[in-house]
Amino acid sequence: AYWASVSFMDAQVGRGLDALDRLGLRDKTIVVMTSDHGYHLADHGLWQKMSLFENSSRVPLLISAPGSKGAGRGARTLAELVDLYPTLADLCGLKAPDTLQGVSLKAALNDPDSMVKMAAFTQVQRGKNPGYAVRTAQFRYVEWGNGARQLFDLEADPLETTNLVSDAKYESIVQSHHTLIADVLQKDAPPEK
């Protein structure tokens, strides 16, 4: 059923883009297609969302923007949904507020090999146990409020089956990724009174 709905969505996006072409609006219209979360389909014994694994956190993101030099090519950069507002503002020639957490992905639309972001963050609340994850080009690192930690090498283990967090060979990776999460949490913390 999931793949049938993906196929259905692809077809509907195609119909929308065809209509824009037919109406002569394609060169004046930015089209964004995304989702708010990914889905598990029994991987890790899970269904739906609410985890910090790649399948739950990763979402489709398609942007069709007039004049983009990289049209039709997949971008290498990491991206987050918080990047949509600054990207759309930039594509429209507007200045986004400096207080936004996201960044414009316009450079990646023009050069799909450019790296606009080096890390993407995810958080989830499971009861009283908050979880935080950082995704870099090669690794996904996860910290749970109960102290559990996970590190996955997504190049060698794309299904996230081997937790490397206790392997001494990855100690510096664990520490650098922990620091990335700690820095984001510090920035997002409410100001002290």
Side-chain angles (χ1 to χ4, degrees):
Y2 174 76
W3 294 115
S5 66
V6 169
S7 221
F8 176 78
M9 284 303 300
D10 288 349
Q12 300 315 307
V13 170
R15 287 179 66 190
L17 293 175
D18 288 346
L20 289 173
D21 285 337
R22 191 173 57 256
L23 296 170
L25 299 173
R26 186 73 176 266
D27 63 341
K28 301 175 190 172
T29 307
I30 300 167
V31 177
V32 177
M33 187 257 187
T34 190
S35 174
D36 63 334
H37 59 82
Y39 266 98
H40 288 288
L41 296 174
D43 53 302
H44 302 284
L46 302 169
W47 289 94
Q48 299 179 344
K49 56 182 181 175
M50 296 301 290
S51 84
L52 291 171
F53 288 111
E54 185 82 353
N55 279 354
S56 180
S57 302
R58 189 176 184 138
V59 299
L61 177 58
L62 302 172
I63 301 174
S64 172
S68 293
K69 296 179 182 103
R73 294 178 49 207
R76 291 185 55 232
T77 194
L78 293 169
E80 300 172 281
L81 294 179
V82 295
D83 300 325
L84 286 178
Y85 180 7
T87 301
L88 293 171
D90 194 9
L91 290 170
C92 292
L94 304 171
K95 178 163 176 15
D98 294 331
T99 56
L100 296 179
Q101 292 177 347
V103 298
S104 174
L105 302 172
K106 183 177 178 180
L109 294 173
N110 287 321
D111 177 8
D113 293 323
S114 69
M115 292 300 288
V116 176
K117 284 189 117 156
M118 303 310 285
F121 298 89
T122 309
Q123 83 178 62
V124 69
Q125 185 74 34
R126 287 187 138 180
K128 294 183 180 183
N129 190 23
Y132 306 94
V134 60
R135 166 71 151 89
T136 56
Q138 184 173 352
F139 295 98
R140 173 176 290 282
Y141 173 72
V142 177
E143 291 184 356
W144 289 97
N146 64 7
R149 299 178 308 149
Q150 298 167 302
L151 176 70
F152 300 103
D153 180 340
L154 297 175
E155 288 178 7
D157 179 23
L159 298 178
E160 299 169 295
T161 59
T162 305
N163 184 359
L164 303 170
V165 81
S166 298
D167 187 329
K169 186 167 62 171
Y170 295 95
E171 188 176 332
S172 65
I173 301 293
V174 168
Q175 185 55 48
S176 67
H177 285 61
H178 165 76
T179 300
L180 288 169
I181 289 174
D183 289 349
V184 165
L185 292 176
Q186 179 65 32
K187 276 197 298 190
D188 288 347
E192 292 185 30
K193 294 179 180 180

